[in-house]
Amino acid sequence: MSAHRPSPESWPVVAAMLPFPESHDSPAPVWRGQLAEVAAEGFSGVDLTDSWLRVGDLDSARLAELSGVLDDAALRPEAVSAIRRSVIDPETGAENLAYSHRTIDAAAELGCSVVSVGLHRPLTAAQRAALWFWTVDGPRDDDTAETWELAVGRLRELGEHAASVGLALSLEMYEDTLLGSSHSAVRLLEDIDHPAVGLNPDLGNLYRLHREVEPFLEAAARCLPVSNYWHVKSYFRSTDPLTGGTHTVPAPMYAGSMNYRAAFRTAVEVGFTGPVCVEHYGGDGLAVMAENHRYVRRLLAAVTGGRVSGHGR
């Protein structure tokens, strides 16, 4: 969604802070140690995922501390992802809207380029008890016209705020929400109709479900032309032809069942130029994300005809 395409080496490919525990109230030296691990794996940028710390809830002194430790680690804060804070949550929607506004202001102060928000809600007790939370169904958005218009209005409001402070707003796709399919997500974006608002086609959120899902490449082709940020991760997916049962587990991007080589080719062809954030659940998530980082750099070089020196940093 931009006229300028970065080179494979300069393209922002950043690390999610998902592998780290909730650290909102931790002292700055703890943040410094965590971010140093990210930098040691070859990253130069991060997504300040709010499951790690909530930048929108930091006072000015703590926000300055965070900026300082990011500088110490030589990590650019490219994005903030505010997750499970749906602005149409029937119980906490208004509170989440206010939180999202605070997050936008904090992200701008830190020098980010994008804030990603979604319509998914907190995990249920059953989801938290499962080995993989996506194997248990969670809350489902009401799809009435009234709820749709509420989402359009509140997300447009956030887009206007983001634009006013020089940020993009990206809408993360997630199952059983109004952003839960490529068709619905694109239609919602069209109704919001704001130049600062695009999609975050986190199609791994959909592909991992133990049910029938949209073909990955078809969904990517539909969403990438209107996307401005991209969470990427992969899964092994297998379906038993006798029972119809499906099983998925996290996988490195190069090895998983999602064809990211083809998806990145499509992304470049349709003009996607947004930052890319690598994610992974389970095990040594940071190490897998580092491999995903190198893989994405190689893909960008392959599909643009560019070059990546060394090991893909």
Side-chain angles (χ1 to χ4, degrees):
M1 299 177 68
S2 168
H4 174 69
R5 187 177 77 196
S7 70
E9 288 192 326
S10 67
W11 206 304
V13 182
V14 304
M17 292 301 287
L18 286 171
F20 294 93
E22 193 278 332
S23 303
H24 183 80
D25 294 321
S26 298
V30 171
W31 297 347
R32 181 176 290 107
Q34 293 166 327
L35 293 167
E37 290 188 54
V38 175
E41 288 289 353
F43 289 98
S44 58
V46 290
D47 179 314
L48 301 172
T49 321
D50 73 349
S51 59
W52 175 58
L53 63 83
R54 303 180 303 281
V55 298
D57 287 340
L58 295 177
D59 62 27
S60 57
R62 290 284 274 165
L63 202 61
E65 284 186 309
L66 176 59
S67 183
V69 296
L70 285 162
D71 286 344
D72 291 344
L75 287 172
R76 168 176 165 73
E78 188 69 43
V80 174
S81 286
I83 58 175
R84 306 193 182 282
R85 300 296 291 260
S86 171
V87 297
I88 59 169
D89 187 303
E91 296 181 0
T92 60
E95 175 187 328
N96 291 341
L97 178 63
Y99 169 80
S100 299
H101 279 296
R102 297 196 304 273
T103 298
I104 289 170
D105 283 332
E109 186 169 342
L110 288 167
C112 298
S113 70
V114 60
V115 169
S116 176
V117 300
L119 297 176
H120 39 311
R121 298 183 226 165
L123 297 174
T124 66
Q127 287 178 308
R128 292 194 301 271
L131 175 59
W132 303 118
F133 61 83
W134 55 86
T135 62
V136 178
D137 287 344
R140 181 181 294 269
D141 276 349
D142 173 32
D143 60 359
T144 63
E146 181 181 10
T147 301
W148 185 272
E149 289 305 315
L150 181 65
V152 168
R154 286 182 169 178
L155 292 171
R156 185 187 292 130
E157 176 184 325
L158 292 177
E160 290 172 351
H161 182 182
S164 74
V165 293
L167 297 176
L169 184 76
S170 199
L171 309 181
E172 181 181 353
M173 296 177 66
Y174 198 90
E175 81 268 11
D176 298 332
T177 72
L178 301 185
L179 294 161
S181 74
S182 62
H183 293 281
S184 180
V186 169
R187 185 164 70 90
L188 186 64
L189 185 69
E190 290 172 345
D191 284 1
I192 293 168
D193 191 26
H194 194 286
V197 185
L199 292 185
N200 172 357
D202 190 343
L203 296 170
N205 290 343
L206 309 181
Y207 191 82
R208 67 194 178 193
L209 299 175
H210 285 195
R211 62 175 94 153
E212 186 176 351
V213 298
E214 287 184 85
F216 168 58
L217 292 178
E218 290 181 17
R222 191 168 292 114
C223 295
L224 283 165
V226 291
S227 296
N228 57 4
Y229 188 41
W230 195 4
H231 288 175
V232 294
K233 55 182 175 282
S234 194
Y235 296 84
F236 294 115
R237 181 180 178 91
S238 178
T239 300
D240 186 331
L242 297 179
T243 66
T246 297
H247 184 67
T248 64
V249 293
M253 287 174 65
Y254 77 89
S257 302
M258 303 167 73
N259 185 349
Y260 274 104
R261 185 173 295 270
F264 269 87
R265 183 173 294 109
T266 296
V268 169
E269 289 172 352
V270 301
F272 173 78
T273 58
V276 176
C277 175
V278 294
E279 299 182 325
H280 187 78
Y281 287 101
D284 186 347
L286 181 59
V288 177
M289 284 162 40
E291 180 54 44
N292 287 347
H293 177 202
R294 291 186 285 270
Y295 174 67
V296 168
R297 294 276 183 215
R298 295 196 303 271
L299 289 186
L300 289 169
V303 301
T304 63
R307 298 178 62 186
V308 175
S309 62
H311 55 69
R313 285 186 59 179

